[in-house]
């Protein structure tokens, strides 16, 4: 697994991170714990969590999976979104309901539209920041997180002096090693200007332009990206583009014929070489395939192919 120092945190991290948004919702507790164990076995040590993830269950499922191994992993958790209310009856029927819903696509759409699975935004106040952190630490069974991220922070929140002082206090307390903003492009830009309190920017790969990644590096800040598989071309497009060009075909063969998904990951790795790329890997096969991409060094042919398919 590619490992390097993440700027802003100044600690060694795995270049591929395990995104836990569906841990406890799309996959249940037992399958989720197996996936976390597999991730660790494949060299992934960066885990991206939030109180809202997995319908509010991701942090506890993760904690059970890494019990006794806290020093082997790095944890990012967030503040700013709360899960929908989970009464006991809902928790009890969830595993059965999940099985039914997985197999009926129209039902999935209706449930999403109904809003019963929607997270609720929380105001980013000093009280919410402190309270949410204490709750996350309890659920995670740890005394600190490596990164504490403001979920969907606005540029206005990042200019709020009381909020910034709270972030500094939390960092000084040792309960939080570094602070991140996990948001859209506007907030990512505002975060870059707030190097006093923000150490790391988390955003979609499309937002992490080469200019943003280079400005973050100049400011001594790290970058974490997600939404790799939303990268503007479908697997079919990638296959067709390779098939339509003899140069690309030759590069593709020389690079060992990587799949469209592997090519997207390679492009993400090249875009943010000193950071972390987060992926959803709720299947063992995706986890193994993605870890393999980050385990191999990037050859010159692979680099040329990824750059030709996903120009910067
Ligand atoms: N801070 C934020 O606002 C924010 C927003 C979005 C995401 N995130 C973080 O980023 C993580 C990743 O989420 P994302 O939205 O960026 O999802 P993603 O990694 O782009 O994944 C999207 C889909 O691609 C699939 N996939 C993964 N590996 C694949 C492969 N090798 N071949 C084919 N398909 C593959 C996944 O399947 P399976 O999962 O079924 O394996 C998933 O269904 C989240 O879990 C969360 O931790 C943060």
């Amino acid at each position: 697994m590619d490992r390097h120092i993440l700027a802003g945190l100044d600690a060694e991290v795995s270049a591929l991170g395990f995104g836990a948004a569906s841990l406890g919702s799309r996959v249940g507790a037992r399958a989720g714990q197996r996936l976390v164990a597999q991730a660790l076995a494949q060299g992934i040590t960066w885990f991206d969590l939030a109180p809202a993830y997995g319908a509010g269950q991701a942090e506890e499922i993760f904690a059970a999976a890494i019990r006794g191994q806290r020093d082997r992993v790095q944890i990012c958790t967030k503040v700013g979104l709360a899960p929908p209310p989970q009464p006991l009856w809902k928790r009890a029927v969830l595993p059965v309901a999940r099985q039914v819903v997985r197999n009926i696509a129209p039902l999935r759409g209706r449930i999403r539209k109904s809003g019963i699975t929607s997270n609720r935004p929380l105001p980013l106040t000093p009280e919410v920041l402190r309270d949410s952190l204490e709750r996350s630490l309890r659920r995670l069974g740890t005394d600190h997180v490596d990164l504490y991220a403001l979920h969907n922070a606005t540029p206005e929140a990042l200019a709020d002096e009381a909020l910034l002082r709270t972030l500094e206090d939390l960092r000084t307390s040792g309960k939080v090693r570094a602070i991140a903003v996990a948001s859209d492009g506007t907030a990512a830009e505002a975060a870059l200007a707030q190097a006093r309190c923000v150490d790391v920017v988390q955003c979609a790969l499309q937002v992490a332009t080469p200019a943003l990644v280079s400005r973050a590096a100049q400011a001594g800040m790290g970058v974490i990206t997600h939404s790799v598989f939303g990268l503007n071309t479908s697997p079919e497009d990638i296959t067709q583009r390779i098939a339509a060009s003899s140069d690309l075909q030759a590069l593709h063969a020389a690079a060992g014929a990587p799949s469209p998904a592997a090519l997207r990951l390679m492009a993400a790795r090249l875009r943010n070489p000193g950071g972390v790329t987060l992926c959803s890997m709720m299947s063992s096969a995706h986890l193994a395939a993605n870890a393999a991409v980050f385990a191999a060094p990037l050859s010159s042919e692979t680099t040329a192919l990824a750059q030709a398919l996903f120009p910067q």
Side-chain angles (χ1 to χ4, degrees):
M1 172 62 53
D2 177 9
R3 296 183 66 79
H4 46 241
I5 303 291
L6 178 68
L9 181 64
D10 297 328
E12 194 183 281
V13 299
S14 59
L16 176 64
F18 183 95
S22 302
L23 199 65
S25 48
R26 203 148 52 80
V27 297
R30 251 190 292 157
Q33 283 169 23
R34 277 198 300 272
L35 287 167
V36 171
Q38 183 187 340
L40 264 175
Q42 304 219 231
I44 296 170
T45 55
W46 187 269
F47 292 86
D48 185 70
L49 292 128
Y53 283 178
Q57 296 185 64
E59 290 180 325
E60 281 170 346
I61 293 173
F62 172 74
I66 60 133
R67 193 161 291 136
Q69 306 181 81
R70 173 65 184 94
D71 54 352
R72 284 186 67 195
V73 299
Q74 282 143 329
I75 302 172
C76 169
T77 197
K78 312 191 184 75
V79 53
L81 282 182
Q86 290 283 347
L88 269 181
W89 68 263
K90 212 164 155 188
R91 280 191 178 217
V93 299
L94 210 66
V96 182
R98 190 181 296 123
Q99 211 55 44
V100 175
V101 170
R102 186 174 295 143
N103 298 320
I104 309 175
L107 206 54
R108 278 205 300 273
R110 274 204 205 161
I111 287 178
R112 234 191 335 265
K113 271 198 201 134
S114 76
I116 58 168
T117 54
S118 301
N119 297 324
R120 293 168 295 131
L122 292 175
L124 290 174
T125 62
E127 296 71 33
V128 168
L129 257 62
R130 291 180 192 283
D131 181 61
S132 183
L133 177 63
E134 290 304 327
R135 289 170 192 263
S136 282
L137 292 177
R138 269 200 300 278
R139 284 190 293 265
L140 289 163
T142 181
D143 61 358
H144 74 280
V145 291
D146 299 276
L147 196 61
Y148 193 41
L150 305 179
H151 220 155
N152 297 344
T154 58
E156 293 73 41
L158 292 173
D160 178 339
E161 195 50 40
L163 194 84
L164 298 178
R165 268 203 309 275
T166 308
L167 291 174
E168 284 177 322
D169 288 352
L170 291 177
R171 207 168 37 190
T172 309
S173 73
K175 291 182 179 181
V176 163
R177 294 272 152 87
I179 305 285
V181 165
S183 258
D184 61 11
T186 328
E189 290 293 336
L192 282 182
Q194 195 43 273
R196 177 184 129 208
C197 294
V198 182
D199 307 296
V200 172
V201 174
Q202 184 184 124
C203 58
L205 184 62
Q206 290 82 343
V207 170
T209 57
L212 185 140
V213 173
S214 128
R215 277 169 47 221
Q218 279 162 18
M221 294 162 83
V223 177
I224 296 178
T225 59
H226 57 78
S227 303
V228 172
F229 294 99
L231 204 62
N232 48 28
T233 19
S234 70
E236 294 74 28
D237 289 340
I238 296 170
T239 307
Q240 280 168 16
R241 283 184 57 197
I242 295 171
S245 153
S246 53
D247 284 350
L248 289 180
Q249 278 178 39
L251 269 180
H252 188 238
S259 69
L263 284 165
R264 286 167 177 225
L265 282 169
M266 287 164 185
R269 194 175 161 191
L270 285 166
R271 174 78 62 87
N272 184 23
V276 177
T277 301
L278 297 176
C279 281
S280 176
M281 299 176 279
M282 294 297 127
S283 84
S284 173
H286 286 163
L287 186 45
N290 298 352
V293 171
F294 279 80
L298 284 168
S299 67
S300 55
E301 292 85 359
T302 302
T303 302
L305 179 62
Q307 283 171 343
L309 287 166
F310 304 101
Q312 303 279 313

